[in-house]
Amino acid sequence: MTVWLRPERNNIPMDKIIIQGGQRLCGEVQISGAKNAALPILCSALLTEGWNTYHNIPDLMDIRTAKKLIGSFGAEISGEASVRVNAANMTHAEASYELVKTMRASILVLGPLVARMGVARVSLPGGCAIGARPVNLHIKALQDMGADVELKDGYVEARAKRLKGANIYFDISTVTGTENIMMAACLAKGTTILRNAAREPEVVNLADVLMDMGAKITGAGTDVITVEGVDRLYPVEATIIPDRIEAGTFMIAAGITGGDVRLKGCNPLHLEALISKLRDTGMDIMPIEGGLRAIGHGKIRSIDVKTQPYPGFATDLQAQMMALMTVGNGLSVITETIFENRFMHVSELTRMGADIVIQGHSAMVKGISKLRGAPVMATDLRASASLILAGLAAKGKTELSRVYHIDRGYQTIEKKLSALGADIKRVRA
Ligand code: EPZ
């Protein structure tokens, strides 16, 4: 049973987003830097001494949490869109539960801390709305590299005089697991091979930054990554890739409103699975100078979608695609293969009139002609995006509460949507 902490007690603002549906979205939107690339890259600063500078950092709650976490080790960190980090004078190697419980990706400091400091005490992140989110694969890989790892009082306690290169096989393709171990392996003695490694673009962005720091990595972007350990890494200046999940969310927004949106600063090569699926629904998607153009034509063909590790259809776009399919012209089967509980948006979409039946890991979505606006509650980051998309297309008013979920992963989404013609506003609770 999920026990929801009353967020207002933790002084999390209880803002609401109010949408009057029915507006076609038209115009141009600038896509921000990728949250899931910025997080591991900021953590990679812990591997070196001296000033690192990172450009195109998105202004998100999770990024602010990561900056607080990195600062708590004694590193110096400053800046917003361009962030500078100097971890020369680290005094601590402990990531507290207080910080880690608000952002699971905090586990990404584990590998760098053990590699650089020889010791780390990182709170177990705990689960979240979409699943148990274990980190057993991260821990096993560090043990394979010679670290002593203990689970004590809800913390991972790891120590190693110096990590040793090892042959790592991930039972499951894990994005942050691949990133954590790739970072740790950079300073290990000897060569590490990561098999069944994640292939996401964010893994490649991190590998490129690590190589600019002097790391010796081959195979990033494939499922076998080889890292030859070095004695030292050097500070770097780097740029975060665009956020493919934000871009995909806006493409689906164009589809669900029958709009015409130009997305600037996104990389079409990172969105091939989504582009193919949206074309199957009847949308026109074409590359333009510096990005993509997405055109919806009102009529939406119902299609089937199955989430897979990259380059398959991203689980982080499943909820948004489901919103689109609620107003498709037939039956859509949406299958979630990555997380065990990523259908929290279904009950809220149903409140808006959607016809969805969950059967195991699949949702049967029977398209209806029109959603109805309603008061709905965000439960997790991507579910929130899905409810906003539904609100844009619904007849009447949709009131989304607990929008702090969406602030974790989307930079001023209501401002960007309003600039495209949506009738959307944020109200302070
Ligand atoms: C990353 O999470 C992303 N987060 C997630 O984005 C994304 O949904 C996910 O990858 C899948 O693409 C960041 O990059 C910060 P996994 P991660 O390890 O690394 C199981 C968002 O919305 N597993 O690839 O935590 C796990 O339970 C977020 O931006 C283990 O069993 O996901 C899941 O079923 C949500 N043991 C599967 O692997 C482990 O040690 C894939 O998870 C690790 C993972």
Side-chain angles (χ1 to χ4, degrees), residues 35-36 39 104-105 130 133-138 172-176 200 315-316 338-339 342 381-382:
K35 165 177 87 80
N36 291 348
L39 292 172
R104 299 194 59 272
I130 64 177
R133 314 293 297 277
V135 291
N136 58 310
L137 300 177
H138 300 234
I172 302 174
S173 162
T174 160
V175 174
T176 50
E200 273 68 4
T315 175
D316 292 348
I338 308 292
F339 291 111
R342 204 167 198 175
L381 168 53
R382 306 304 173 181

Side-chain angles (χ1 to χ4, degrees), residues 260-331:
D260 180 346
V261 176
R262 290 183 311 285
L263 297 94
K264 299 302 272 182
C266 72
N267 182 341
L269 295 178
H270 295 163
L271 286 154
E272 288 178 343
L274 177 70
I275 290 168
S276 164
K277 285 295 179 181
L278 290 180
R279 283 179 176 152
D280 291 347
T281 69
M283 286 185 70
D284 287 323
I285 315 274
M286 58 279 281
I288 57 172
E289 173 68 30
L292 273 176
R293 184 177 174 194
I295 305 173
H297 301 291
K299 270 239 151 304
I300 296 159
R301 263 198 302 275
S302 292
I303 59 164
D304 296 344
V305 172
K306 186 174 185 180
T307 64
Q308 299 283 0
Y310 192 88
F313 190 92
T315 175
D316 292 348
L317 287 168
Q318 177 259 106
Q320 299 91 313
M321 195 66 182
M322 188 181 293
L324 182 66
M325 291 293 95
T326 62
V327 286
N329 67 349
L331 177 68

